[in-house]
Amino acid sequence: MAHTSWGGGQPAHEVNVLGSLALAVTSRMQEAAERSASLGASAPSALVALDGYLTGQPIDALRRVLGLTHSGTVRLVDRLVAGGLVERRVGTTDGRAVPLGLTPAGRRVARRVLAAREAALQDVLAVLGPEERATLSALHDRLLGGMIGSREDARRTCRMCDPVACGHHEGHCPVTQAADAAELRAI
């Protein structure tokens, strides 16, 4: 008799291993990103998000993506500005809506973070053959699509994403597709 978890009837092993895998992959990715940027826990995600899809957005948009408090995000942005990686741009007269952008140095660090992230994830996938990787990729697409219920979910999920690699601009990204579908359902 298969041992099942107390929560929903899924085999306990399957659920437990997925959780462990998710934590192990996240840890490797985060450690690689933090080492490449040398800026602390939230900075790599902030730089990648600003490089990928938050350019010109205010601090509040960054706060929502990172899941930080407003004051924590302001302190992070202040550190990134002081480090010459982010700039506050001229925008509206509302101080809460000052657009953010990366400096050339910030763009270089964001690209280093993405390269380190990719290398760490390639190491994880190295134990799989080509057919296994193709199967896993299709399953990833399905799982990711099933987790996205809004554009905000998509932005938070993709805070460390390379939009070129996932096919975002060509309409292939499962996260973007799920966010688009959620918006259509909401109409």
Side-chain angles (χ1 to χ4, degrees):
M1 169 182 235
H3 177 71
T4 58
S5 66
W6 49 265
Q10 290 292 326
H13 176 81
E14 177 182 311
V15 172
N16 190 58
V17 169
L18 176 61
S20 295
L21 175 63
L23 286 174
V25 170
T26 298
S27 293
R28 285 188 182 198
M29 185 176 65
Q30 189 168 351
E31 288 166 6
E34 289 174 13
R35 269 194 315 273
S36 71
S38 301
L39 295 168
S42 296
S45 295
L47 294 172
V48 169
L50 285 167
D51 188 42
Y53 59 87
L54 283 181
T55 295
Q57 295 294 308
I59 285 177
D60 193 59
L62 183 60
R63 176 198 65 76
R64 287 191 313 270
V65 165
L66 298 177
L68 298 174
T69 63
H70 179 74
S71 61
T73 308
V74 169
R75 285 190 302 274
L76 172 62
V77 169
D78 287 346
R79 284 195 316 272
L80 295 173
V81 168
L85 302 173
V86 170
E87 60 188 6
R88 289 179 171 97
R89 297 181 174 166
V90 176
T92 64
T93 57
D94 180 359
R96 295 169 297 179
V98 174
L100 301 172
L102 294 180
T103 65
R107 209 172 274 8
R108 286 190 298 275
V109 173
R111 305 273 160 80
R112 259 196 340 258
V113 167
L114 282 176
R117 171 189 176 267
E118 181 180 341
L121 295 174
Q122 287 288 359
D123 285 349
V124 170
L125 292 172
V127 300
L128 301 178
E131 286 182 26
E132 292 170 311
R133 286 177 77 146
T135 299
L136 186 61
S137 180
L139 293 171
H140 287 158
D141 288 356
R142 199 156 164 213
L143 288 170
L144 274 169
M147 294 175 66
I148 304 302
S150 68
R151 186 72 55 205
E152 191 161 325
D153 286 347
R155 287 182 171 174
R156 184 148 170 73
T157 298
C158 295
R159 67 189 178 274
M160 288 284 288
C161 185
D162 178 348
V164 174
C166 75
H168 170 77
H169 302 294
E170 293 81 30
H172 302 297
C173 174
V175 174
T176 302
Q177 291 172 355
D180 291 347
E183 283 184 350
L184 287 175
R185 285 190 304 272
I187 295 176

